[in-house]
Amino acid sequence: MSAAGAPVGIALLGATGSIGETAQRVVARHPERFRFAAMTANGNRDALEAAVSRWAPAFVGLVNGGSATALPAGWCQGTECLVQAATHADARIVLNAVVGAAGLEATLAAVGAGKRVALANKESLVLGGALVQRAAHAGTGEVIPVDSEHSALLQCLAGRVGGPGPGLLPVAGVRRFIITASGGPFRTWETERIRGARLEDALRHPTWSMGRKITVDSASLANKALEVIEAHVLFGVPYDRIEVVVHPQSIVHSMVEFEDGSVIAQLGVPSMELPVLYALGYPDRLPDAGVPRFDPVGTSPLTFEAVRHDAFPTLGLGIAAGRKGGAAPAVFNAANEAAVARFLGGALPFRAIPAAIELALTRLGDRSGDDLDALLAADAAARALVQEYHAP
Ligand code: NAD
Ligand code: MG
């Protein structure tokens, strides 16, 4: 994007989170190319104020500002801030780094307004993939993934994206996607021990430092289920051509096997700065020396293992929901969000996450997902069910 002209405006949704802070580090190294035109956060007013005084965006939104003290003049408050920031005239790129289904409306609005959405908020595509595709096909908006595995797939597919076909970034000639998973903190644990894992165990991710929700998702492998669905929606590749393999070092971020049998992989140190930069600059590669360099000998050996589906039932539940379609992916996502929130709050044990999701899919998985109202109703029903769930 814009090398010679004025820096491109970015709306950063979720500016105070893990990806939001990563994005600020990346943009700080490229002031001639990028600037922040809008910033939002959920409730962390102090962190948002610090970011605003540093970047001076034209639009600031605090979604959940409370009522204790008045906000600075001009700040937007409430959920509508997200859509306002996502459609702001001064932003050409919307970096959606909100966590959870709360990010969907902004993704839809940004795509509808012709923006590039640099998408970290994978839940958007799991909940509303078909709607986002419809919005993209109807106009000039586009979605470029920030998730490291999907950034890797896009990089492996360089020059082959576009043309006819399903998906937001249609591809031809792919035999198989091989999506890597670190395996999380419980990779080597016995199944019974995983079922009783404590919160502090789940929050100890071996290779990535991330927000709490995605860290728990990485421990249960719900994150990998969300990513399989995300890959299907983004690239239109059928589920039977998407595989997951455990790769504990998190150096190979994913691989594409082509029709001739050749496999291309993307490698790098586990840092989200690279996929953020790639999504902002796509299809260009921008010169950047900020990310630690890859050292093949130092990271050796690189190993791969089969997924233990019996120990991590959430992965299979999510992929089955993706295959089923309709409202099932929305139910999976919402049930997972609600169960993880209760696990984080100490109200449910770890083993209840797959159990609550399975119950929600059994009760609600056959619902249709034809439009936004139907999807949001399924999402709400799944949350209500899991809220009342008692672990046996
Ligand atoms: P985080 O919890 O660190 O940050 C979330 C951000 O969103 C915060 O700024 C918060 O204020 C805001 N937010 C939270 N709830 C909101 C709501 N209801 N409305 C508006 N804003 C809200 O999360 P994160 O780790 O940065 O992850 C953000 C997204 O990126 C998630 O979808 C996650 O799956 C995805 N992702 C993250 C990583 C990573 O390394 N952290 C990697 C890949 C994908
Ligand atoms: Mg990922």
Side-chain angles (χ1 to χ4, degrees), residues 122 147-149 227:
K122 65 193 86 184
D147 216 349
S148 58
E149 295 77 2
E227 292 184 352

Side-chain angles (χ1 to χ4, degrees), residues 226-362:
L226 298 173
E227 292 184 352
V228 167
I229 299 171
E230 181 185 11
H232 171 78
V233 173
L234 277 171
F235 299 106
V237 168
Y239 282 104
D240 56 12
R241 294 183 182 210
I242 306 177
E243 284 178 21
V244 176
V245 68
V246 173
H247 167 50
Q249 297 82 20
S250 300
I251 297 291
V252 175
H253 297 306
S254 278
M255 313 177 223
V256 178
E257 180 183 63
F258 292 95
E259 277 171 341
D260 62 359
S262 189
V263 178
I264 306 226
Q266 189 262 338
L267 283 71
V269 297
S271 161
M272 288 308 294
E273 293 186 16
L274 243 162
V276 165
L277 180 68
Y278 191 70
L280 297 179
Y282 180 83
D284 298 334
R285 287 193 180 276
L286 306 181
D288 187 288
V291 177
R293 293 184 75 182
F294 172 55
D295 168 12
V297 175
T299 51
S300 172
L302 300 182
T303 60
F304 300 91
E305 302 165 9
V307 175
R308 292 162 55 210
H309 281 282
D310 53 333
F312 298 98
T314 309
L315 176 59
L317 288 167
I319 294 174
R323 285 177 179 271
K324 186 166 193 173
V331 169
F332 171 78
N333 179 65
N336 180 57
E337 279 189 35
V340 169
R342 293 190 66 199
F343 173 68
L344 285 170
L348 283 181
F350 193 72
R351 65 187 154 80
I353 295 174
I357 292 171
E358 189 169 18
L359 178 71
L361 284 169
T362 305

Side-chain angles (χ1 to χ4, degrees), residues 108 124-137 233 369-370 375:
L108 280 172
S124 286
L125 294 188
V126 174
L127 168 58
L131 304 179
V132 178
Q133 279 186 37
R134 223 175 287 158
H137 291 160
V233 173
D370 290 342
L375 290 167

Side-chain angles (χ1 to χ4, degrees), residues 50 64 90 112 132 150 165 175 179 192 197 202 222 242 261 269 285 326 339 350 377:
N64 197 350
D90 198 25
V132 178
H150 306 76
R175 186 186 286 167
I179 297 182
E192 258 327 295
I242 306 177
V269 297
R285 287 193 180 276
F350 193 72

